[in-house]
Amino acid sequence: MKLQRKNRLRATALGALAVSGALVLTACGSDDNTESTGSGDKTAAAASNIKCDDAKGQVLAAGSSAQKNAMDLWVKNFQQACSGVEINYQPIGSGGGITKFTQGQVAFAGSDSALKPEEVTASEKICKGGKGINLPMVGGPVAIGFNVPGVDSLVLDAQTLAKIFDSKIKKWDDKAIADLNPDAKLPSTAIQAFHRSDESGTTQNLNKYLKAAAPAEWNYDDSSKSWEAKGGQAASGSSGVASSVKDTEGAIGYFELSYATASDLTTVKVDTGAGDPVEATTENASKAIAAAKVKGTGNDLALELDYATKAEGAYPIILVTYEIACDKGNKAETLPSVKAFLNYTVSDEGQKVLSEAGYAPLPTEIAAKVREIVPTLS
């Protein structure tokens, strides 16, 4: 009896361990997590390098769903290292996050696009004596995922993508698509294009790419976070778009690479005019993000990205997610925790976990500037 009881306890423990491993895989949003999941020792080592300072209590934050999978990893590691503090991040979309920030409902917001001038002005009412600033924190490719039975590789260029998302190309065997994919057996299936229903920085970055690379075909406001093109079907959040594409034959949609990986979706290779079509990978996105220039002034690090790049191996549909916080006038009760958390996310340790979740770490020079600014928040 004692032996049976020991065996039952051992089986229970092993089952709990398996569930724990599955949760880690889910949080990472990636099929390839060999480094992050084999790794109680690695996680513990990373946690031991996190400086908690005076972090305590609950911090409310909201915004970009693009960074959700990265934020899940950061929060998990930070809270493991810093007991007594809770980072509650709601992935409601960039527009929703900025609204909550300018209304004083959250300590910081995540946005895939920098604050507009009117949003900076609105933030001054909340940031007493200061204003909201843009702190780049995570980058990555906006992948174009598709679900076309019998087609496991697809090349599209900016002009063709613009016509697809504007409902001007309606069948998968359209000549424009066929010319770019001479070896593919394209069906006559109707194209089901999905876009975001909520205000989204991911939408804005796709707009910016299409406007920069296919200006004649894309006649919409590239500063808008809302979808303005004709037709198509809407879904909420990047997860909603990815799920819709996965469940719909003939579908195509846009979302961050981690969502494509999690949903096991094949992604489009983009013909930029370079030697070879470019795949949506963190490495290829990093090549494009590395060319970004700071256009913000003072402690504001808003970036200018080159969406029309033709550099070899540079994936052009990219985004950088900013954490938006007050440079001055932060709430005293949450300021220590916000600074400690952002210090971790921009640290070497915080940036290293990004590639495990399908994101691109910040270029070294930009990360260094963010590390200088975060400690000065007051």
Side-chain angles (χ1 to χ4, degrees), residues 131-191:
K131 62 182 179 181
I133 57 173
N134 302 284
L135 299 173
M137 199 62 68
V138 55
V142 176
I144 308 295
F146 65 95
N147 177 1
V148 183
V151 179
D152 55 11
S153 180
L154 188 68
V155 175
L156 296 173
D157 57 18
Q159 292 77 18
T160 306
L161 280 168
K163 291 177 181 178
I164 287 173
F165 281 112
D166 201 20
S167 300
K168 293 178 179 177
I169 292 179
K170 300 182 178 181
K171 299 283 187 178
W172 278 109
D173 60 354
D174 187 276
K175 184 177 184 301
I177 301 176
D179 287 347
L180 291 165
N181 299 272
D183 298 326
K185 296 181 179 179
L186 298 168
S188 59
T189 306
I191 294 174

Side-chain angles (χ1 to χ4, degrees), residues 216-256:
E217 288 79 14
W218 198 250
N219 299 310
Y220 301 102
D221 180 7
D222 64 356
S223 67
S224 176
K225 296 185 181 72
S226 299
W227 188 257
E228 297 181 354
K230 302 172 184 176
Q233 302 180 55
S236 178
S238 292
S239 59
V241 175
S243 295
S244 297
V245 172
K246 184 177 180 65
D247 295 340
T248 307
E249 186 173 316
I252 188 170
Y254 59 94
F255 29 76
E256 294 66 44

Side-chain angles (χ1 to χ4, degrees), residues 322-333:
Y322 302 91
E323 309 311 333
I324 295 170
C326 298
D327 57 354
K328 299 176 183 178
N330 289 279
K331 293 181 180 178
E333 61 268 28

Side-chain angles (χ1 to χ4, degrees), residues 35-51 76-78 80-82 344 349 353:
E35 291 187 6
S36 61
T37 58
S39 51
D41 291 342
K42 181 178 178 181
T43 301
S48 68
N49 293 326
I50 295 174
K51 295 181 179 180
K76 172 179 174 289
N77 291 343
F78 185 75
Q80 180 177 333
C82 306
Y344 161 60
E349 291 80 7
V353 304

Side-chain angles (χ1 to χ4, degrees), residues 14-99:
L14 289 173
L17 181 60
V19 171
S20 174
L23 288 174
V24 172
L25 284 170
T26 302
C28 292
S30 171
D31 292 327
D32 184 9
N33 292 290
T34 52
E35 291 187 6
S36 61
T37 58
S39 51
D41 291 342
K42 181 178 178 181
T43 301
S48 68
N49 293 326
I50 295 174
K51 295 181 179 180
C52 303
D53 296 325
D54 297 320
K56 60 182 179 180
Q58 185 184 64
V59 173
L60 298 180
S64 164
S65 65
Q67 69 170 359
K68 177 188 179 297
N69 293 333
M71 190 63 72
D72 285 347
L73 282 173
W74 284 333
V75 169
K76 172 179 174 289
N77 291 343
F78 185 75
Q79 291 183 170
Q80 180 177 333
C82 306
S83 60
V85 62
E86 177 188 354
I87 308 296
N88 185 343
Y89 182 81
Q90 301 173 342
I92 60 174
S94 298
I98 290 174
T99 297

